[in-house]
Amino acid sequence: MLFVPAHDERRVPKALASAADAVILDLEDAVPAAQKARARSRLACAIGAHPMVLVRVNAVGTDDFAADWAAVRALDVAGAVLPKASSADEVPEGGPPILAIIETAAGLRAAHELAAHPAVAGLALGGEDLALELGWSPLPDEAHLLYARSKLAVDCAAARAAPPVDVVHADTRDLEGLERSARRARALGFAGKLCIHPDQVAVVQRVFAPSAEELAWAARVVDAFTSSGGGAIAVDGRMIDRPVAERARGLLVEAERSRI
């Protein structure tokens, strides 16, 4: 998911022409206060230029939220991105599906209720605001994110919601660091990552897509497990039971969907 400031006439077309799975037109942090109204007025120009366009509105309770939400409801967008989601009671309804960003301590506590809300299609983790509120000192291996990532993955699964989307990697030049960050997030059950530069998109897509080796393993596991009649077996020297076989089957389904 690639963010782009909605008022930026130069960057919006580049984002819409990118290979990102979704483009998020940003009305919030990336837009100066004096440009908010202009950014809203430009939203309609981008609709239809990419198959998956979302709009990040300003947070509930801010001066710009009502105008942002009215603009989003009037457009045929794939979704709205709600920043600083802190309570299921504050989730707006009557609009497009919502991707709620968990970036406050209250939001982290309420993540399960937010994921289960009928207007919420998924959750994303916002690292910078959460770090500011909690006084985190970023660590090289992102250990400071472990609890928040784990909690979101658990809460989404418990709510039978889609897997969450991971934090932005702020250094757009550090593609190796981005890859390490994405691999950590995928290992913890995340489905993708928020991006702020088109160069980050290919790295994230490569990390979150099943590799050829993973797909070959998954095919062997599914074939062997099916042939066994559903009993525990050994594949490549490793014991395979139903949960492992289901994970392998999920990888094959994911790969098939990506080809559609």
Side-chain angles (χ1 to χ4, degrees):
M1 292 184 164
L2 176 62
F3 278 112
V4 62
H7 72 294
D8 193 319
E9 297 180 14
R10 180 179 61 86
R11 293 169 62 187
V12 168
K14 291 182 179 179
L16 294 171
S18 74
D21 296 293
V23 173
I24 302 173
L25 301 174
D26 193 10
L27 299 176
E28 197 215 10
D29 284 349
V31 180
Q35 296 288 331
K36 299 282 190 184
R38 180 168 174 271
R40 277 192 296 271
S41 71
R42 292 189 54 79
L43 292 176
C45 300
I47 307 306
H50 188 282
M52 185 69 69
V53 174
L54 298 87
V55 177
R56 178 163 71 169
V57 298
N58 285 273
V60 173
T62 63
D63 293 340
D64 289 286
F65 172 74
D68 288 353
W69 190 247
V72 167
R73 290 184 64 185
L75 296 170
D76 184 20
V77 294
V81 180
L82 184 68
K84 300 177 179 64
S86 298
S87 168
D89 294 336
E90 297 177 354
V91 173
E93 299 188 52
I98 291 171
L99 176 70
I101 305 184
I102 305 302
E103 49 189 336
T104 67
L108 193 57
R109 286 179 63 91
H112 177 265
E113 291 76 14
L114 285 160
H117 194 286
V120 174
L123 302 183
L125 182 59
E128 297 297 333
D129 284 283
L130 191 58
L132 177 63
E133 182 173 353
L134 297 178
W136 282 344
S137 296
L139 298 171
D141 61 354
E142 295 185 328
H144 60 291
L145 293 174
L146 180 58
Y147 171 73
R149 280 171 164 165
S150 299
K151 186 175 188 304
L152 252 64
V154 170
D155 287 342
C156 286
R160 299 292 188 267
V165 180
D166 194 43
V167 297
V168 162
H169 187 74
D171 188 344
T172 59
R173 300 164 300 177
D174 179 23
L175 298 183
E176 291 183 1
L178 169 65
E179 180 168 348
R180 290 192 296 270
S181 179
R183 291 195 182 282
R184 293 185 190 104
R186 187 186 180 206
L188 289 170
F190 280 66
K193 199 165 178 66
L194 300 171
C195 299
I196 54 174
H197 193 283
D199 288 350
Q200 296 180 321
V201 170
V203 176
V204 171
Q205 289 176 331
R206 173 167 49 80
V207 169
F208 281 93
S211 68
E213 293 77 10
E214 287 175 316
L215 293 177
W217 169 84
R220 291 196 301 274
V221 167
V222 170
D223 287 346
F225 191 75
T226 302
S227 298
S228 75
I233 55 169
V235 175
D236 300 337
R238 178 183 175 185
M239 193 273 284
I240 303 297
D241 57 6
R242 186 189 60 79
V244 178
E246 288 300 318
R247 182 163 65 87
R249 188 172 285 110
L251 285 173
L252 296 177
V253 170
E254 181 183 349
E256 185 62 31
R257 284 176 178 167
S258 70
R259 288 193 286 267
I260 295 175

